[in-house]
């Protein structure tokens, strides 16, 4: 019998524990929190940019003459040109209505501010998801052709950027992304928020 096969010969040899990636394990939560903060701020800036462009007509999606402050309607162009889907008539009927303009713009501003500052992320996730689902329904990517028979140019019948934005906002609320590089912890300590955790 060889030495290595004999159980008594090796009983006093210290067993070295398996190495663990301690550097990765200890830094991952911090890296993940900072990455979530970057995603949160970037997503918030997308919403704030849309608000500012539609309000002041910065010349990207909205020319100056169609700016909200110049009497333009933030919803008329998008909703008024819907040409397919089961809700097309409903959305066209809302196009340019004052209540629709105000709700849309308050939504863009509120969601953008909440995400940039890291406060009220649960409210932002719920309201942002509702807004994204309504916009998804307005574009109705399930249809391949418009009512006039033209291609809709839909790139995916179910998943598009509206759904991805909604999922991102839900994820940011779940991981409390406002606690890093944001005011999430301060917000959570406010009396009304402590009593009503759904405001976080």
């Amino acid at each position: 019998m060889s030495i290595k096969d004999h159980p008594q010969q090796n009983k006093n040899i210290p067993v070295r524990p398996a190495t663990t990636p301690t550097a990765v394990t200890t830094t991952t939560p911090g890296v993940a929190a900072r990455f979530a903060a970057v995603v949160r701020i970037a997503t918030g800036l997308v919403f704030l940019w849309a608000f500012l462009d539609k309000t002041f007509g910065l010349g990207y999606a909205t020319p100056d003459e169609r700016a909200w402050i110049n009497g333009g309607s933030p919803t008329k162009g998008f909703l008024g040109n819907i040409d397919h889907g089961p809700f097309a008539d409903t959305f066209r009927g809302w196009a340019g209505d004052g209540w629709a303009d105000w709700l849309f713009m308050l939504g863009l501003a509120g969601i953008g501010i909440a995400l940039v500052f890291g406060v009220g992320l649960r409210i932002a996730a719920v309201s942002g998801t509702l807004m994204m689902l309504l916009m998804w329904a307005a574009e109705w990517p399930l249809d391949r052709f418009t009512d006039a028979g033209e291609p809709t140019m839909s790139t995916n019948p179910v998943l598009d950027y509206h759904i991805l934005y909604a999922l991102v906002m839900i994820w940011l609320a779940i991981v409390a992304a406002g606690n890093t590089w944001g005011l999430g912890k301060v917000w959570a300590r406010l009396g009304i928020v402590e009593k009503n955790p759904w405001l976080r």
Side-chain angles (χ1 to χ4, degrees), residues 42-66:
T43 306
L45 291 174
V46 168
F47 280 85
L48 281 181
W49 176 262
F51 171 78
L52 293 172
D53 185 54
K54 291 178 185 310
T55 300
F56 301 107
L58 301 178
Y60 289 86
T62 310
D64 181 60
E65 62 273 8
R66 291 202 334 241

Side-chain angles (χ1 to χ4, degrees), residues 121-133:
L121 293 185
R122 292 181 183 178
I123 299 169
V126 171
S127 58
T129 297
L130 179 60
M131 177 185 282
M132 291 298 105
L133 290 176

Side-chain angles (χ1 to χ4, degrees), residues 182-190:
L183 302 174
K185 290 179 182 175
V186 175
W187 177 263
R189 287 195 298 265
L190 295 176

Side-chain angles (χ1 to χ4, degrees), residues 132-179:
M132 291 298 105
L133 290 176
L134 284 169
M135 292 177 77
W136 180 89
E139 289 192 6
W140 201 253
L142 298 168
D143 281 350
R144 293 173 49 206
F145 299 99
T146 67
D147 295 342
E150 299 291 324
T152 62
M153 306 305 287
S154 175
T155 57
N156 188 307
V158 179
L159 292 174
D160 71 353
Y161 65 98
H162 298 106
I163 304 301
L164 292 180
Y165 276 131
L167 292 173
V168 165
M169 287 184 281
I170 293 167
W171 172 69
L172 292 171
I174 289 171
V175 300
N179 292 347

Side-chain angles (χ1 to χ4, degrees), residues 8-72:
Q8 298 301 321
Q9 292 288 337
N10 297 323
K11 68 179 182 180
N12 292 326
I13 298 173
V15 178
R16 189 170 153 181
T19 57
T20 57
T22 53
V24 173
T25 310
T26 57
T27 58
T28 298
V31 171
R34 288 191 293 274
F35 180 74
V38 170
V39 172
R40 170 181 57 79
I41 293 167
T43 306
L45 291 174
V46 168
F47 280 85
L48 281 181
W49 176 262
F51 171 78
L52 293 172
D53 185 54
K54 291 178 185 310
T55 300
F56 301 107
L58 301 178
Y60 289 86
T62 310
D64 181 60
E65 62 273 8
R66 291 202 334 241
W68 199 24
I69 61 168
N70 293 332

